[in-house]
Amino acid sequence: MAKNDGNDSLKRVTVSMTEETFQALDRVVKERGFDSRSQAISEMIHAQAAQHLSKIGSQVMAGTLSLVYDESKSAVLRDLSRICREHVTEVISSQHILLEGDHVLEVILMQGPAKRLRDVTNKLVTCKGVKSANLTLTPNLIPPLHAKGGK
């Protein structure tokens, strides 16, 4: 059986679909720049599996939370910082990008049980001044930052 660069065994499946779905798949492959239909389908399945696992709640996952907020709201920075500090175990880092006007895009890298990450997201999105939030989760984990034994 063929192997990929990650030494994972490749499995072959056959998929039947309508002509309309087939054309849509080819359009996705072309527009997103996939090397093949297999690569596109594999990515779609991976994304769907991650979405499913994130709903279960107990699966430890890594994720990014993208927030857009109006920093002119007097308490928003304090409230966001307080919530992140309360969840320092899950919040790994954040990046602030200044947007037009008083708006800020903040991207927060998190890891932990999916339910807890959704809870942190819900706390952050309800802060006065937050305009939008989008949590994206993956079952692939961040390696430990400080391994035991000093390695």
Side-chain angles (χ1 to χ4, degrees):
M1 174 133 334
K3 300 270 185 180
N4 68 7
D5 292 339
N7 289 332
D8 295 330
S9 295
L10 296 177
K11 304 291 183 188
R12 182 174 302 274
V13 297
T14 301
V15 179
S16 299
M17 60 187 76
T18 65
E19 179 65 27
E20 180 181 344
T21 303
F22 182 79
Q23 294 301 324
L25 175 61
D26 275 352
R27 183 173 178 193
V28 168
V29 170
K30 180 180 178 185
E31 290 179 4
R32 291 196 50 202
F34 288 108
D35 292 334
S36 65
R37 291 183 194 109
S38 291
Q39 184 185 24
I41 291 169
S42 181
E43 188 274 333
M44 290 176 201
I45 292 170
H46 182 77
Q48 187 65 32
Q51 183 180 14
H52 172 73
L53 291 172
S54 73
K55 291 178 183 174
I56 295 171
S58 61
Q59 174 86 22
V60 174
M61 303 184 86
T64 57
L65 172 61
S66 300
L67 293 172
V68 174
Y69 59 87
D70 181 348
E71 70 177 347
S72 70
K73 302 297 181 190
S74 62
V76 71
L77 295 174
R78 183 192 70 226
D79 292 344
L80 295 175
S81 294
R82 178 185 50 78
I83 293 166
C84 287
R85 287 178 197 275
E86 288 171 359
H87 297 281
V88 71
T89 305
E90 292 80 26
V91 175
I92 307 297
S93 68
S94 66
Q95 175 74 46
H96 305 266
I97 298 92
L98 301 177
L99 303 175
E100 293 180 331
D102 290 326
H103 289 90
V104 175
L105 169 64
E106 182 169 348
V107 180
I108 302 172
L109 176 61
M110 300 191 293
Q111 183 166 282
K115 182 182 181 328
R116 197 168 313 153
L117 299 183
R118 283 194 314 277
D119 290 345
V120 173
T121 298
N122 290 338
K123 288 179 182 180
L124 291 167
V125 76
T126 58
C127 292
K128 188 172 185 172
V130 173
K131 304 291 185 181
S132 66
N134 183 38
L135 177 64
T136 303
L137 297 175
T138 179
N140 301 37
L141 299 180
I142 301 165
L145 299 176
H146 299 281
K148 291 182 181 180
K151 294 182 180 179

